[in-house]
């Protein structure tokens, strides 16, 4: 293992050196860094040109400028020297620019990547299990549609409908009978397609879900829930218990009573705990990331205790399933708090909740939860626009690998042994189907950082994409090289991680 | 080629502004003018916020250095660093009596008396006086040489003797070694920097009052180093204690890549600003319209695009928008070192240029009010333009005259290489379309118009004269510059090799002419000669766009590099 990692690292360093030289030379020769000053009619023109030549070392040959840059970078590796990534065309330190840009891009990309993997893989797996059903065709159609949409166009649409129109709606948020009917029909079609089974069963599912949707929307409108949304202890309990059942089913099947019981117990304890926790978390003096983290650790400890106590012969499985249940229950509690914060937040931003631009409201001052909500409303649209496109890739990949795996001989063997369908799909097929998706996710991280250029621009996030783009346009190599360093390093690192993950997922692979 | 508005020089813009505008003294006609005392505006500062979207991010507190002199900085600092005057939207000067007054007391030698307002103090409490004025003069005078103060504008200041004032004094007398017609446009916004900060940061034992007469003093070296770099800022990292304000606002916060926040200066001695907080949000041009619609910003003035204009139009009554002319104009220049030294050929080409059609097809979609641009010195938004529009000679060449061009060509079929900066990465579509219109129109007359655009046009082809007709834009006014002149024989920027002793003489006169009316006449003569000689063909002023939400008032588009914030203290929100 260690030998493998070291060998890979050495190869990566070599690749980095060669490609960084190539990138530097290409950028430095891509145009004229003085072009904007050449048509300048101002009296200080000569002075400005001389200054820029000095800042960018334009009087030196390109290879020497590269060596200057590389010299600064190597100081990052030597401890106690301090990084020097050079200065940009406006004479600002690139290392400072990079820190800020990387922070903003990571926030943007990581949420989108995690969500895209989770959603894409689960939808892909479901559509492979319902191959050639209405659901499968719809997902296939949607995936190709999303994949072919240009980001800047999606962005404009999202801003128009999910921000500007949504904010207009939020002034008096009600769902009228006709929109509710349309949404009910849509919901009926979706659930009916997912359900599968006989025609009769599908019609029952369609009818039930449509009626439930229509009823729920009308009821929520009637009590003005959209203006003052909250889950409340009742819904937290219902949702958590439902989630606990689902988790127990996916993990071990409902026949393993001990697992089911420990999940249900965890959900019950957690949602009852919300009576204590919610007032604490709403207290501005108390709410903070540290305390949230502390609560999470506490609830995980509690969950593993419950799993261990109730697990019986399946202690390991019960503890794992309880842990997941605890996290989901915690999510519902937090969601409840966030929803309760919404009306107050809306007042602070003049009633226009969803943002079209920027990373936060300028000079926003509010409680901990209002701050988080502000970040969330600004992250929502850019994350969605990245998500839509990555989602398409993941769902297609996982669908096709899942189909391939499901047709393998060992799946037939597993079925012949009399295993339940759940065990065959999740234990035997799914795990193997994850291998290609892992490769994809590893490469996708690097690709997302560089691919977020347009997303960042249209949503006003000054991130890595901006660093790269403005550097390239102004023929300013240092910011471009900073961008290159981060993307190249992350691609190298994630490839390594993917190789290690293969070994974990597939016992046939040994790294040494 | 993308013309950067920041390229416009203060001095150049000024010449057209102060000297040529017939109503240059009309300081009281600006309803929202900086120094105008409007009784209804006496109201106290409201607690509201106005957000203005801008594309380029703030980077330095000192707008005088080569680095700091960009539109991003000057527009943010308009309300923070005051001067003796302020640009009005038509390019004329509004005196800023809150800061001080300037008065010419003698013509020979030109002598100007500056009086700083006796209440004027930096927001850290230090009075604004002789010391600050001397730093401004010394930094811009060029006396400290190549390794000295790295300032971007020296014209005018380098003709001044050392200003006379005493330590702590607020009356300064400046005499000139030679007449400088533009004297009114010196010591404007952003020029006077806090000398006490420089003295402290550089650890100086003497003040600029002591050192101004010895520019080579070693004591100054550290001051120069601080002045040149000490006020450069990394994104988001304000150095508030080094950045006191001399205006109605101070810089309060900077979120890197996101926004810059100005708040009312508690020590401001003049009329209180109407709005307590101004936020400049950094948003790309195409994104601004939806942000305006969603109430995230209240004002915007992006580079106009047809799509943005359409978006704004579709928003209907919820916003206000208007289109304008920029302080930048597009033109065609003949290369006198090539085949176009033949006047008949120049005239034939000029006749076949469809100027009206170019404006109708390529500019009007963004600015419906656009007209064919006739002058090289005065812009359509300036009062003096009406005097130039139909009398300098360009009015004869409004629409293409194909038979006339054919007649002049007399059967010749010359090939014409149009040189311009054609960068595939940032293709200027309007220029590409202009070439197509020229090809269609001049093709009928017998010219073969070749698109010789290259990404390297300004590095190689243009300076070496490798073109027949050059197409680009000058920003600000192209008239003056200490680094060479466009129309003067042998001038540093005269790459078209034009030479006319009459023009040389008249331009020399214009620079030193102190009487505004007379100078205006001289400039008009130059413009007329340039049309008679057919040196350049002005096409259009660049279009500009301004939009704001309905609930704000007092904002007025400003074509000069002062930008929208020129009167930021008079912005109000209902």
């Amino acid at each position: 293992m260690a030998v493998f990692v070291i060998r890979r690292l050495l190869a990566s360093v070599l690749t980095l050196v060669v490609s960084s030289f190539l990138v530097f030379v290409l950028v430095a020769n891509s145009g004229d860094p003085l072009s904007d000053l050449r048509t300048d009619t101002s009296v200080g023109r000569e002075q400005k040109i001389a200054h820029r030549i000095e800042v960018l070392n334009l009087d030196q040959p390109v290879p020497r400028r590269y060596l200057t840059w590389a010299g600064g970078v190597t100081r990052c590796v030597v401890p106690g020297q301090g990084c020097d990534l050079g200065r940009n065309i406006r004479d600002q330190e690139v290392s400072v620019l990079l820190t800020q840009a990387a922070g903003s891009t990571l926030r943007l990309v990581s949420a989108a990547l995690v969500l895209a993997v989770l959603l894409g893989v689960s939808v892909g797996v479901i559509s492979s299990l319902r191959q050639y059903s209405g659901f499968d065709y719809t997902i296939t159609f949607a995936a190709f549609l999303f994949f072919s949409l240009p980001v800047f166009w999606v962005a404009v649409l999202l801003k128009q409908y999910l921000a500007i129109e949504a904010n207009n709606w939020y002034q008096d948020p009600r769902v009228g009978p006709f929109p509710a009917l349309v949404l009910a029909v849509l919901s009926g079609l979706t659930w009916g397609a997912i359900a599968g089974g006989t025609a009769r069963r599908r019609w029952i599912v369609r009818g039930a879900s449509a009626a439930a949707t229509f009823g729920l929307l009308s009821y929520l409108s009637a009590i003005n829930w959209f203006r003052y949304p909250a889950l409340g202890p009742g819904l937290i309990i219902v949702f958590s218990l439902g989630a606990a059942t689902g988790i127990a089913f996916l993990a071990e099947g409902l026949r393993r009573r001990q697992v089911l019981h420990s999940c249900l117990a965890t959900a019950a304890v957690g949602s009852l705990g919300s009576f204590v926790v919610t007032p604490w978390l709403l207290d501005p003096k108390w709410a903070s990331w540290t305390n949230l983290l502390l609560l999470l650790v506490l609830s995980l400890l509690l969950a593993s205790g419950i799993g261990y106590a109730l697990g019986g012969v399946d202690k390991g499985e019960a503890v794992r399933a309880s842990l997941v249940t605890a996290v989901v229950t915690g999510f519902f509690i937090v969601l409840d708090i966030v929803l309760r914060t919404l009306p107050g937040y809306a007042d602070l931003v003049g009633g226009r909740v969803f943002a079209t631009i920027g990373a936060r409201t300028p000079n926003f001052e509010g409680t901990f939860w209002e701050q988080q909500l502000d970040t969330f409303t600004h992250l929502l649209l850019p994350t969605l626009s990245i998500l839509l496109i990555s989602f398409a890739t993941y769902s297609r990949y996982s669908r096709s690998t899942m189909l391939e795996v499901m047709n393998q001989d060992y799946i037939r063997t597993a079925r012949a042994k009399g295993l339940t369908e759940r065990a065959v799909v999740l234990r035997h097929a799914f795990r193997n189907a994850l291998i290609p998706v892992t490769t994809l996710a590893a490469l996708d991280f690097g690709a997302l950082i560089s691919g977020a250029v347009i997303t960042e621009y249209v949503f006003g996030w000054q991130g890595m994409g901006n660093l790269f783009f403005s550097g390239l346009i102004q023929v300013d190599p240092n910011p471009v090289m900073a961008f290159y360093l981060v993307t190249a390093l992350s691609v190298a690192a994630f490839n390594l991680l993917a190789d290690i993950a293969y070994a974990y997922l597939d016992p046939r692979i040994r790294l040494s | 080629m993308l013309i950067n508005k920041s390229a416009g020089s203060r001095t150049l813009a000024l010449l057209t502004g102060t000297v040529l505008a017939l109503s240059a003294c009309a300081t009281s006609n600006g309803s929202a003018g900086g120094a105008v005392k409007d009784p209804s505006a006496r109201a106290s500062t409201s607690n509201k916020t106005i957000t203005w979207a801008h594309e380029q991010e703030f980077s330095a507190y000192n707008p005088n250095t080569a680095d700091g002199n960009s539109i991003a900085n000057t527009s943010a600092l308009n309300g923070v660093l005051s001067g003796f005057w302020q640009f009005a939207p038509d390019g004329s000067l509004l005196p800023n009596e809150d800061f001080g007054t300037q008065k010419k007391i003698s013509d020979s030698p030109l002598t100007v008396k500056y009086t700083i307002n006796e209440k004027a103090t930096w927001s850290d409490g230090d009075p604004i006086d002789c010391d600050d004025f001397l730093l401004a003069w010394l930094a811009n005078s060029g006396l400290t040489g190549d390794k000295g103060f790295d300032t971007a504008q020296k014209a005018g200041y380098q003709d001044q003797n050392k200003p006379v004032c005493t330590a702590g004094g607020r009356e300064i007398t400046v005499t000139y070694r030679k007449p400088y017609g533009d004297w009114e446009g010196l010591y404007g916004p952003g020029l006077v920097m806090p000398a006490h900060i420089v003295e402290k940061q550089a650890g100086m034992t003497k003040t600029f009052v002591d050192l101004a007469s010895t520019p080579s003093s070693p004591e100054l070296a550290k001051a120069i180093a601080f002045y040149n770099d000490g006020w450069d800022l990394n994104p988001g990292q304000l150095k508030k204690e080094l950045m006191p304000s001399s205006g109605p606002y101070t810089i309060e916060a900077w979120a890197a890549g996101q926004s810059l926040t100005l708040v009312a200066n508690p020590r401001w001695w003049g009329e209180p600003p109407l709005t307590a907080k101004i936020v400049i949000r950094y948003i790309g041009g195409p994104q601004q319209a939806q942000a305006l619609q969603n109430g995230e910003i209240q004002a915007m003035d992006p580079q106009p695009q047809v799509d943005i204009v359409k978006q704004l139009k579709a928003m209907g009554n919820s916003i206000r928008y208007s289109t304008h002319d920029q302080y930048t104009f597009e033109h065609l220049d003949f290369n006198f070192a090539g085949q176009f030294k033949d006047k008949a050929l120049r005239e034939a080409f000029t006749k076949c240029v469809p100027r009206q059609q170019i404006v109708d097809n390529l500019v009007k979609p963004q600015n419906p009010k656009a007209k064919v641009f006739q002058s090289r010195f005065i812009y359509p938004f300036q009062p003096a333009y009406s005097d130039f529009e139909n009398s300098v000679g360009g009015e004869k060449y409004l629409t293409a005259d194909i038979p006339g061009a054919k007649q002049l060509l007399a059967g010749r079929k010359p090939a014409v290489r149009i040189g311009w900066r054609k960068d595939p990465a940032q293709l200027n579509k309007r220029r590409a379309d202009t070439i197509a219109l020229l090809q269609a129109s001049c093709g009928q007359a017998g010219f073969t118009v070749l698109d010789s655009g290259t990404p390297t046009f300004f590095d190689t082809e243009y300076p070496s004269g490798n073109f027949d007709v050059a197409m680009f834009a000058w920003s600000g006014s192209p008239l003056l510059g200490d680094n060479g002149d466009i129309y003067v024989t042998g001038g540093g920027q005269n790459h078209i090799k034009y030479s006319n002793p009459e023009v040389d003489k008249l331009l020399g006169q214009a620079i030193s002419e102190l009487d505004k009316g007379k100078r205006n006449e001289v400039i008009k003569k130059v413009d007329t000669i340039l049309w008679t000689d057919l040196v350049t063909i002005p096409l259009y002023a660049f279009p500009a766009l301004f939009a704001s939400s309905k609930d704000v008032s007092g904002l007025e588009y400003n074509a000069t590099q002062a930008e929208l914030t020129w009167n930021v203290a008079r912005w109000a929100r209902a």
Side-chain angles (χ1 to χ4, degrees):
Chain A
M1 175 85 175
V3 177
F4 169 80
V5 170
I6 289 166
R7 213 170 52 211
R8 281 294 297 268
L9 282 180
L10 283 178
S12 306
V13 169
L14 213 68
T15 321
L16 281 179
V17 171
V18 175
S19 57
S20 69
F21 180 71
L22 274 178
V23 172
F24 193 96
V25 172
L26 286 174
V27 175
N29 287 310
S30 68
D32 172 20
L34 298 171
S35 63
D36 59 320
L37 296 179
R38 289 190 201 275
T39 52
D40 191 343
T41 54
S42 78
V43 281
R45 181 169 166 268
E46 303 303 326
Q47 193 89 33
K48 289 186 186 178
I49 289 179
H51 185 83
R52 187 171 296 174
I53 289 176
E54 190 197 318
V55 169
L56 298 183
N57 296 325
L58 294 178
D59 47 351
Q60 296 174 3
V62 174
R64 200 162 142 211
R65 285 166 65 196
Y66 172 76
L67 287 180
T68 312
W69 174 80
V73 172
T74 41
R75 281 175 41 190
C76 302
V77 192
V78 186
Q81 281 277 342
C83 259
D84 179 16
L85 298 181
R87 304 183 83 81
N88 73 350
I89 206 161
R90 292 172 87 179
D91 205 6
Q92 295 168 317
E93 284 169 49
V94 172
S95 49
V96 176
L97 295 174
L98 179 67
T99 322
Q100 288 162 347
S104 128
T105 296
L106 281 182
R107 254 189 301 163
L108 192 67
V109 166
S110 44
L113 184 71
V114 171
L115 282 175
V117 171
L118 285 181
L119 277 177
V121 169
S122 40
V123 167
V125 168
I126 295 174
S127 74
S128 76
L129 297 178
R130 301 267 177 276
Q131 199 187 5
Y132 303 138
S133 68
F135 180 78
D136 187 28
Y137 284 126
T138 316
I139 290 299
T140 304
F141 173 75
F144 281 114
L145 181 72
F146 293 152
F147 197 65
S148 52
L149 289 180
V151 181
F152 58 87
W153 189 70
V154 171
V156 170
L157 290 189
L158 286 177
K159 285 181 183 186
Q160 189 63 40
Y161 294 106
L162 286 188
I164 296 171
E165 296 293 335
N167 283 331
N168 291 343
W169 175 76
Y170 187 73
Q171 304 307 311
D172 180 23
R174 278 168 216 282
V175 183
F178 183 69
L181 199 67
V182 173
L183 288 172
V185 169
L186 280 179
S187 137
L189 289 176
T190 315
W191 287 110
I194 294 178
T198 63
R200 184 163 172 272
R201 184 183 155 190
R202 289 215 300 271
W203 274 112
I204 291 171
V205 172
R206 275 178 201 142
S209 52
T213 308
F214 186 80
L216 189 68
L217 287 176
S218 309
Y219 174 69
L220 293 178
S221 291
I223 62 166
N224 207 5
W225 186 86
F226 295 106
R227 189 83 185 95
Y228 301 100
L231 291 184
L235 278 183
I236 292 179
I237 292 172
V238 172
F239 285 177
S240 312
L241 291 180
T245 318
I247 290 164
F249 170 73
L250 286 180
E252 302 297 325
L254 294 181
R255 291 218 194 110
R256 306 275 278 272
R257 288 292 162 186
Q258 286 96 338
V259 177
L260 177 63
H261 290 160
S262 57
C263 281
L264 288 175
T266 308
V269 170
S271 45
L272 288 177
S274 76
F275 284 104
V276 185
V277 175
T278 304
W280 280 355
L281 287 177
L282 281 172
D283 182 353
K285 274 176 289 182
W286 206 84
S288 72
W289 279 115
T290 354
N291 285 343
L292 265 185
L293 209 68
L294 225 64
L295 265 186
L296 180 70
V297 172
L298 202 71
S299 55
L300 288 180
L301 284 176
L302 207 63
S304 32
I306 293 172
Y308 192 82
L310 299 181
V313 286
D314 293 326
K315 282 199 195 320
E317 290 84 350
V319 168
R320 255 183 284 155
S322 300
L323 287 178
V324 179
T325 312
V327 172
V328 175
T329 310
F331 168 77
F332 286 128
I333 295 173
V334 168
L335 180 67
D336 179 52
I337 293 171
V338 170
L339 288 176
R340 284 163 192 260
T341 317
L342 190 65
Y345 172 74
D347 289 343
L348 287 178
V349 293
R352 302 201 71 86
V353 174
F354 300 103
T356 67
I357 198 87
R360 66 196 83 96
T361 307
N363 310 306
F364 185 79
E365 281 166 16
T367 64
F368 172 79
W369 292 105
E370 283 160 353
Q371 298 276 6
Q372 301 318 313
L373 205 54
D374 192 57
T375 310
F376 173 78
T377 55
H378 283 84
L379 263 176
L380 181 67
L381 295 194
T383 303
L384 263 180
S385 75
I386 297 179
L387 177 64
L388 279 183
I389 289 158
S390 310
F391 163 81
T393 334
Y394 285 110
S395 67
R396 294 313 294 163
Y397 252 91
S398 49
R399 179 184 178 274
S400 61
T401 51
M402 193 68 185
L403 280 176
E404 199 181 299
V405 172
M406 289 296 281
N407 288 324
Q408 302 260 321
D409 286 348
Y410 73 87
I411 297 292
R412 196 176 51 192
T413 314
R415 285 201 173 116
K417 280 198 299 189
L419 289 181
T420 60
E421 187 65 13
R422 187 198 57 77
V424 172
V425 171
L426 287 178
R427 280 289 168 81
H428 296 255
F430 181 59
R431 202 167 154 164
N432 282 307
L434 272 182
I435 293 176
V437 177
T438 315
T439 319
L440 187 67
L443 290 178
D444 209 28
F445 186 76
L448 270 182
I449 293 182
S450 44
V453 174
I454 298 170
T455 316
E456 278 173 17
Y457 176 67
V458 294
F459 287 106
W461 284 63
Q462 303 267 326
M464 303 289 293
N466 181 57
L467 205 63
F468 170 77
F469 186 69
S470 60
L472 193 61
I473 289 295
Q474 299 174 52
V475 199
D476 183 9
N478 287 345
V480 178
M481 295 311 290
F483 168 86
Y484 161 82
L485 264 188
V486 172
T487 38
L489 282 176
S490 71
V491 167
F494 273 80
N495 270 343
L496 190 64
L497 280 182
D499 282 337
I500 296 169
Y502 293 154
Y504 169 76
L505 287 168
D506 186 344
R508 290 170 301 181
I509 297 174
R510 291 281 170 269
L511 290 182
S512 43
Chain B
M1 176 194 66
L2 282 177
I3 270 282
N4 186 351
K5 260 174 106 184
S6 66
S9 104
R10 232 163 251 226
T11 322
L12 300 181
L14 268 176
L15 189 77
T16 46
T18 52
V19 184
L20 300 178
L22 292 174
S23 63
C25 298
T27 55
S28 55
N29 67 349
S31 57
V36 181
K37 299 281 185 277
D38 174 3
S40 68
R42 267 280 165 209
S44 59
T45 309
S46 96
N47 205 13
K48 300 236 159 72
T49 301
I50 295 180
T51 307
W52 171 49
H54 195 61
E55 293 197 58
Q56 294 172 32
E57 190 169 2
F58 185 65
S59 68
Y61 170 71
N62 185 353
N64 299 289
T65 63
D67 271 338
N69 188 343
S70 72
I71 205 88
N73 294 327
T74 52
S75 62
L77 291 167
N78 267 331
V80 178
L81 292 173
S82 301
F84 286 92
W85 51 268
Q86 178 62 279
F87 274 122
D90 64 2
S92 63
L93 298 185
L94 288 170
N96 180 0
E97 287 174 13
D98 284 334
F99 189 80
T101 54
Q102 50 175 332
K103 199 171 167 236
K104 185 172 72 178
I105 52 175
S106 161
D107 269 344
S108 177
L110 175 60
T111 308
V112 183
K113 186 177 172 191
Y114 291 88
T115 311
I116 298 172
N117 190 321
E118 58 178 14
K119 285 183 265 174
T121 52
W122 294 102
S123 56
D124 59 7
D126 201 84
I128 302 174
D129 55 26
C130 173
D131 206 18
D132 302 299
F133 195 94
L134 283 173
L135 169 62
W137 168 77
L138 187 63
N140 290 283
S141 67
L143 286 176
T144 48
D146 282 348
K147 298 275 174 207
F149 288 103
D150 176 22
T151 46
Q153 55 231 345
K154 297 195 171 61
Y157 300 99
Q158 58 193 13
D159 302 333
Q160 297 173 347
N161 294 312
K162 187 197 148 197
V164 178
C165 57
T166 53
R170 294 181 189 247
E171 290 187 0
I172 303 108
T173 311
V174 175
T175 53
Y176 285 76
R177 285 190 292 275
K178 58 178 184 180
Y180 182 69
D182 225 359
W183 61 269
E184 263 185 314
L186 303 178
Y187 302 103
L191 242 291
V192 180
M193 303 297 293
H196 64 285
I197 300 280
V198 182
E199 286 157 4
K200 193 169 160 215
Q201 292 302 313
M204 289 162 65
T205 51
K206 293 178 183 162
T207 63
F208 288 102
V209 179
D210 308 319
L211 293 171
S213 31
T214 51
S216 54
S217 153
E219 181 91 314
L220 276 177
K222 273 185 181 166
I224 289 170
F226 177 79
Y227 186 93
N228 289 349
D229 296 323
W231 278 316
D232 287 352
L233 305 166
N234 288 321
Q237 301 181 348
L238 289 176
K239 302 173 184 168
K240 278 198 206 172
E241 69 288 356
L242 305 184
M243 300 167 55
S245 159
S246 60
Y249 288 98
T250 59
I251 295 179
E252 169 75 9
W254 183 10
Q258 297 291 320
S259 61
L260 185 78
T261 305
L262 310 176
V263 296
N265 172 7
R267 289 194 105 114
W268 171 240
W269 60 92
E271 199 161 313
L274 297 182
T275 304
K277 205 180 257 184
I278 302 290
V279 176
I280 304 173
R281 266 190 104 160
Y282 300 111
I283 300 177
Q287 277 73 56
Q288 295 178 2
Q290 283 185 316
L292 181 70
Q293 196 180 7
N294 201 29
E296 284 155 288
I297 59 170
Q298 280 74 48
M300 58 186 254
D301 55 347
Q303 290 296 314
Q305 294 176 12
V306 180
D307 289 344
I308 304 180
V309 177
K310 276 187 192 154
Q311 267 181 311
L312 292 171
K313 213 180 243 174
M315 288 178 209
N317 271 335
S318 56
I319 56 121
R320 268 188 289 248
Y321 81 96
S322 54
T323 56
H324 306 266
D325 290 310
Q326 269 186 38
Y327 229 127
T328 302
F329 78 96
E330 182 83 357
H331 51 91
L332 299 169
D333 294 7
F334 292 112
N335 184 356
F336 281 70
Q339 55 176 336
F340 279 110
K341 63 178 176 288
D342 174 5
K343 165 122 195 249
L345 199 60
R346 291 204 299 277
E347 195 173 351
F349 192 78
T350 311
K351 275 180 190 280
C352 72
V353 174
R355 294 167 80 213
Q356 187 66 51
Q357 193 190 5
I358 290 172
V359 171
D360 288 349
N361 293 8
L362 307 179
V363 187
K364 279 199 178 164
Q366 289 127 61
N367 178 12
K369 293 181 289 188
K371 288 201 247 173
V372 175
F373 189 48
Q374 300 292 21
S375 169
R376 295 157 188 90
F377 305 109
I378 304 283
Y379 284 80
F381 48 80
Q382 293 179 312
Y385 185 72
S386 58
D387 191 34
F388 279 64
E389 188 175 10
N390 292 312
S391 50
V392 288
E395 65 280 359
K396 284 178 285 188
Y397 304 103
L398 269 182
T399 51
D401 173 11
I402 304 296
K406 262 189 184 157
Q407 201 182 352
L408 282 167
L409 278 179
R412 281 186 289 172
K413 296 227 175 284
V416 178
R417 293 166 301 154
I418 311 267
W420 57 296
R421 179 162 177 253
K422 184 187 194 177
D423 187 343
Q426 301 161 275
L427 184 68
N428 185 319
K429 186 152 182 308
R430 202 187 288 135
R431 288 207 173 106
D433 292 345
T434 306
I435 299 263
L437 290 178
L438 285 175
Q439 280 168 336
S441 177
C442 291
Q444 289 175 37
F447 286 101
T448 309
V449 176
L450 303 171
D451 177 355
S452 306
T454 49
T456 53
F457 182 65
F458 288 110
D459 316 339
T460 45
E461 288 86 351
Y462 180 58
S464 61
N466 194 8
F467 62 96
D468 292 317
V469 171
M471 174 169 62
F472 60 103
W474 288 121
S475 59
S477 154
L479 183 57
L480 281 180
D482 62 354
N483 56 345
D485 203 317
I486 302 159
Y487 310 103
V488 165
T489 308
Q493 300 203 63
N494 184 353
H495 293 303
I496 56 174
K497 306 289 178 230
Y498 171 65
S499 168
N500 184 335
E502 180 73 9
V503 169
D504 298 350
K505 201 186 87 198
L506 288 171
L507 283 173
Q509 253 180 44
I511 293 169
S512 54
E513 178 59 65
L514 296 180
D515 183 278
K516 287 160 196 155
K518 278 189 200 153
R519 194 193 250 203
N520 215 13
E521 281 164 27
V522 177
I523 294 299
K524 198 170 162 186
K525 275 187 206 158
V526 177
D527 227 348
T528 313
I529 296 175
L530 292 177
W531 269 117
T532 318
D533 284 355
L534 293 171
V535 182
T536 65
I537 314 173
L539 296 176
Y540 51 82
F542 276 29
L545 178 63
F546 166 70
S548 69
S549 62
K550 269 272 159 81
D551 59 349
V552 295
S553 57
L555 287 78
E556 198 178 340
Y557 179 77
N558 192 318
T560 70
Q561 65 272 25
E563 283 259 342
L564 204 62
T565 49
W566 69 283
N567 66 344
V568 61
R570 300 272 70 83
W571 292 7
R573 191 166 178 199

